[in-house]
Amino acid sequence: MKKPGSHDSPGMGGGKPKAEGARIRRPGGAVLPLDPEVERWFAAVGAAFPASRSSIIPMLQSAQASLGYLPRDAMQAIARHLKVSPVTLEGVASFYAQFRFDKPGRHRVTVCRGTACYVRGSSKLMDDIQADLKVAAGGTTADGEVTLEAVSCFGACALAPVVVVDGTVNGRVSSASLKALVDAAGQHPQPQPGRRTKAGA
Amino acid sequence: MLNLTINGRAVQVEPGKSVLDACRSASVYVPTLCDDPDLEPYGACRLCIVKIEGLRGLPTSCTTPAAEGMKVTTEDPELLEVRRWTMQLLLADHPLDCLTCAQCGSCDLQTVAMHLGIRERVLRPMARDAKIDDSNPCYAIDMRKCILCGKCVRACAEVQHLGAIDLVRRGYASAVEPFGGGPIRDSLCESCGECVERCPTGALTARRYLRPEREVSTVCPYCGTGCRILLGTRGDSVVSARGDHDAPVSRGRLCVKGRFGSFEFVSHPDRLKTPLIRTAGGFREATWAEALGLIASELKKYRGDEFGGLASAKVTNEDNYVFQKFVRAAMGTNNLDHCARLCHSSTVAGLALSFGSGAMTNPADDLSDADVILVTGSNTTENHPIIGLKIREAVERGAKLVLFDPRQIQLSQIATVWARQRPGTDVAWINGLMHVIIREGLANREFIESRTEGFQAVEKLVAWYTPERVASITGVPAGLIVDAARLYATAERGSIIYSMGITQHTTGVDNVRSLANLAMLTGQIGRPGTGVNPLRGQSNVQGACDMGALPDVFSGYQKVADAGARAKFERAWDAKLSDRPGLTVTQMLPAALEGSIKALYIMGENPVLSDADATHVAAALGKLEFLVVQDIFLTETAKLAHVVLPASSFAERDGTYTNTERRVQLTQPVVPPPGQARRDWEIICDVATAVGYPMAYASTSAVDDEMRGLTPSYAGISHARLGTGAQLHWPCPSPDHPGTPILHRETFVRGLGQFHPAEYRPAAEETDASFPVVLTTGRMLEHYHTGTMSRKSKALHGLVPGPFVEVNGDDAKRIRVKNGDPVRVTSRRGSIVLPAKVGSRVEAGVLFIPFHFWEAAANVLTNPASDPTAGIPEFKVCAVRLERAPDPGPS
């Protein structure tokens, strides 16, 4: 199957939102227009997918790539296009770990909980950063700045404990150096391109 | 037939059946938790595993097709062991509070545990983080008891064609949820309860249910679809309701009203239990003898045209037959009508003129044969939900839906063409469709020539109705008119479904006849899957019309003005009958106001809420010298009566009902009437006897026998025949006639179908500077008519507790109101205050108010202007003003 369109950023190709069919039913029968960013994605990319059930996963992936996550309106738009029930899409999407349903923070901090990192104190690292950011693993800070995640192993055990900040792998991290890394990331409005550093070195 | 051996026993099954079916036909129990006869095989629970010689492993019998020569073993130590472990896994996180569980005694999980001899839970119990959703007043959701068999999800998709819920997430976190995981109440759920009925455990349970001692099948008291309900009883009370799988129309399916809201009112404490006589300070209880004596002495004064009777579309054919006989023979007048005047009198008049018979031409199951279904003025999925399912089913199968409706109703989501005409412009768009069909050479000339007359006049008239002109009248884009015309005209089998959006206009008859023109123009009538199909609104509104509860006809539409018919009835009834057609309900009330009608007898109707211009109706009834109301509750109308008589509800009477498809169905009493309440026909007989015209019947079927002797179209539909399960649609002229599901097959009932040229005429009341908004009224899924029955149900009342007005977001913004804020709606006749429901279900400049709610009665506003032929008021269009209500106070 030809992949229609590329995974552009939400701002691209937003000039011609589809006027027709751009409304969906909300609970209680009220009908509201969808979120404009979703409509832009749909007009630019989504509408070109063939309207068959085999488009479900490619469309979910396309929407997430474009919007950063799968807002409810994106599933509504896909459901409308494919003539399936929105909850059917949610059933598919929520089965896979690759899809996220909450808007991610501007920065992403991933703490490794693999065996080697655990032995080198990653659980204390996680406890401290959770207390510091006032957010549980898997969540996003109230100001929308940081999403904190845990992974099972990064495969960089020699550098344990490992924390990835915005795609940059940091080895031998301590609670203090992690706080500094997160603070430093917060200085940049956009995530910096990923590279490897040894924070403790 | 396929030959199989099940546990050494030979069985035969039809090809296409599963191994599980074969086991069952051998009377062998195979445990299963996810199988359902109405759903596709799924194979989720893994309990129906069997051994099949020559096949490896333990295949699930539900998903394995039966094959010739199969040798099946359903139970041995290995199978038992595997099943026990499967059950242990299911039980690991299942609460064991069986004694206090709502499903106790009818739980499939219990049955399987019992069958397998489970004595202890061997796996470490795990508490699942599952939620209790208490938002729906009809049923309870306790996900801790869910075993993830997927039956509810499949029922929602495969039976209800909706998809409100699905299995989300995976592993331990798996759960059944509506979209977004919020409360079910805020989801697409239509509360039909198909999931509740199928849930094998206590995860989904009806809130009001007691295990019945016995169950009796009866016809649902709500809309005209004619679904059958199995009402469960204990002693004299109704304690449960479920769909009757043997019912021909509904095949076990029910909507929220039928399943959750059909029986609470039966044993409601407010039921009338004794006759009531008005006193200075209100009502006092009276004996039957006293009440009948008073009625007799009063009614004797008003014999003739000072008297009027309103029959009821909610009681049986027998009740209505006796009522019309009472009014005509005992009271000597044809001033007789019922609420069909207000819903489909334009259908009865219009289709009778065009085709010779004013009823639905095809049965509802015919929709499964249709390629194109044109729905207009019918919110089918809400007001005739089970027929709505047949439309959804057809669309899923590939039929195309063409919808003309000003509101964004649920069907608009599955329509191929959805056009939003301005309310009151139906003749224009129908003429537009015909214009396109003729212009593009899609007319069925052969049909027109051989089966119809009067086509030239229509051809000439519709020439003016180009799609562009129609667009400017109706607001429907010209392109959609063309698309709709092409789809309908080129369909192999095209069916028209319509309801009160077509009939309740001052142009009601023209609207109906225009649809008839459209069907004749394309030859879409007289064959399966075609026809012009008005959906009737009440359980026996078709029957009440058929029984002659109308001012101009006896039973079977035999005209009172016709000397032959009159002579026949005079002979049978031994009375002199009036040859003058009487007044309609819409004429009787003004006549009461001016004093020419002095006494009214109302059986089971509530005109104060159901008729246009409520203030005027109440004034007219107040002016009467004598008013008798016979009902099951003290309705808004009964409160104005001089004598109120307690009648039976649907659950307490026997007799026949004729559904919208002209199908006659027999019912039995389920419980005895409360207190001194009596059957309607018995009361009427006593009243007639008391006024000096003796009437008495040994039984309901004796009434039916007399009626059939005088009514050719019902002659062959006896209680005896119906009792054997015969499905009979009238006309059925003789005891060996099979009935007529499809009308107008070879010829029209009137001979040739008659085209009727109809010009577009605007609605009686157009918007102007002081009343700039169009108000349209109607019904909704959760309530019924004036709410007398449905609002007594805690389930239905819980879903929709009060009135509202649908307002477009732009209009709401202009008057600065948010969803839920009170607004004032004012017409030339009155004013009501009610909460706004803001959205885009209606377009800007249009409001919609359901008419079920007395506290904000839509009919305070509506325009009593009526169709000149049918006398139906224009409920669907009036001009109003929308304002922010000054004070949200205690309204």
Side-chain angles (χ1 to χ4, degrees), chain B residues 220-297:
Chain B
C220 178
Y222 291 116
C223 77
T225 304
C227 306
R228 290 193 83 116
I229 308 180
L230 283 172
L231 287 183
T233 60
R234 266 196 206 180
D236 291 349
S237 4
V238 183
V239 293
S240 69
R242 66 187 178 102
D244 180 351
H245 282 260
D246 297 329
V249 184
S250 48
R251 299 193 299 275
R253 298 178 293 187
L254 291 175
C255 71
V256 59
K257 288 193 288 290
R259 196 183 310 275
F260 296 113
S262 62
F263 64 87
E264 260 170 292
F265 71 85
V266 173
S267 41
H268 195 277
D270 292 352
R271 276 290 297 275
L272 293 172
K273 296 183 192 73
T274 60
L276 301 175
I277 292 178
R278 170 178 297 283
T279 61
F283 286 105
R284 66 175 173 86
E285 294 188 354
T287 63
W288 274 104
E290 196 185 355
L292 286 170
L294 176 60
I295 292 171
S297 68

Side-chain angles (χ1 to χ4, degrees), chain A residues 59-80:
Chain A
M59 282 191 88
L60 289 168
Q61 287 170 328
S62 163
Q64 174 157 299
S66 187
L67 303 165
Y69 71 115
L70 284 178
R72 289 186 63 178
D73 278 11
M75 287 189 275
Q76 296 267 28
I78 298 169
R80 182 187 68 204

Side-chain angles (χ1 to χ4, degrees), chain A residues 27 31 85 87-88 90 94-95, chain B residues 163 166 169-170 177 180 186 840:
Chain A
V31 181
S85 166
V87 73
T88 305
E90 194 183 2
S94 64
F95 182 84
Chain B
D166 210 331
R169 298 187 293 277
R170 63 176 166 167
E177 280 180 8
D186 297 342
S840 52

Side-chain angles (χ1 to χ4, degrees), chain A residues 23-33 53 71-73 75-76 83 85-98, chain B residues 162-171 177-182 185-190 408 410 413-415 837-841:
Chain A
R23 284 152 182 269
I24 49 92
R25 178 176 172 192
R26 288 296 173 95
V31 181
L32 299 167
R53 284 177 87 100
R72 289 186 63 178
D73 278 11
M75 287 189 275
Q76 296 267 28
K83 291 197 162 53
S85 166
V87 73
T88 305
L89 286 176
E90 194 183 2
V92 173
S94 64
F95 182 84
Y96 294 100
Q98 62 173 299
Chain B
L162 187 63
I165 47 173
D166 210 331
L167 282 159
V168 298
R169 298 187 293 277
R170 63 176 166 167
E177 280 180 8
F179 183 56
R185 175 85 178 265
D186 297 342
S187 74
L188 299 175
C189 172
E190 294 171 346
Q408 183 157 23
Q410 200 268 340
Q413 292 168 50
I414 55 168
K837 191 167 180 178
V838 179
S840 52
R841 225 157 114 92

Side-chain angles (χ1 to χ4, degrees), chain B residues 306 364 415:
Chain B
E306 288 180 346

Side-chain angles (χ1 to χ4, degrees), chain B residues 12 128 172 183 187 199 201 276 331 349 401 434 544 603 612 622 639 682 716 740 818:
Chain B
Q12 286 197 321
R128 194 144 45 109
Y172 291 122
S187 74
C199 180
T201 73
L276 301 175
M331 296 304 295
L401 174 64
M434 290 196 278
M603 170 173 73
K639 283 177 188 155
E682 287 176 322
T740 315
K818 296 188 303 295

